[in-house]
Amino acid sequence: MTTASIVDVPTLLEISPQGPIEGRSRRYEKFLGDMSGVYRDEQAWQDAVAERGADELIYSVDDHRYQEGPGALIVGTSTLLPGRYGEEFAVTRGHLHAVADRAELYYCLSGRGVMLLETVDGQSSAIELTPGKAVDVPGHWIHRSVNVGDEPFVTLFCYAADAGQDYGIIAEAGGMKNLVVADGDGWKLAPNPDHTGYRAG
Ligand SMILES: O=P(O)(O)OC[C@H]1O[C@H](O)[C@H](O)[C@@H](O)[C@@H]1O
Ligand SMILES: [Fe+2]
């Protein structure tokens, strides 16, 4: 039997409830111009680009990993700014894990949001998150964060480093089955008329 050499010495991560992580290994950002085809109301998105510019920040992800491979974790924060495109609230692109059985924890650090969840065979769920609330997303569930509040929606997440992301599954289906839309001061789910059903994950 061989023993893998230990190359990573644990270090401190300082996680701000506003999102930034000191000690992160990566940060990535998505801007308004990157969100083409994500919102159902394409015109509302185009108007926003014309008004605010394609380089307005929509969400950012700070994360940390030591290793690759099946035993490793990715730990990070997702910070989704508030916004509305027609009736629809600001969302992340959303994905199914490329290794579909990989689960993911989301714990809300600040703001108010919804985790929108769907399976390829038609189940759906939407869970509201406020600070201190969490959702343990099972494998095989497509997931997307939605900001239904008026401040940044920040979650701490943790998932297997070998999970990967399949973004095509939502795009090819004409969007997710449900939209999270404004309803008075709150939100509700509305069926997405453009959704054509998912291909097998
Ligand atoms: O990957 P997106 O759907 O664009 O969402 C942004 C991020 O959301 C989550 O927090 C995931 O854990 C990240 O790995 C992901 O990249
Ligand atoms: Fe994920």
Side-chain angles (χ1 to χ4, degrees), residues 95-109:
H95 54 261
L96 179 67
H97 289 153
V99 182
D101 69 357
R102 298 304 194 250
E104 182 163 4
L105 169 73
Y106 285 87
Y107 176 83
C108 180
L109 294 176

Side-chain angles (χ1 to χ4, degrees), residues 28 59 61 78 92-95 104 106 157 159 165 167:
Y28 90 79
Y59 63 97
V61 175
S78 151
T92 57
R93 287 173 298 169
H95 54 261
E104 182 163 4
Y106 285 87
F157 60 78
Y159 66 105
Q165 283 91 7
Y167 293 106

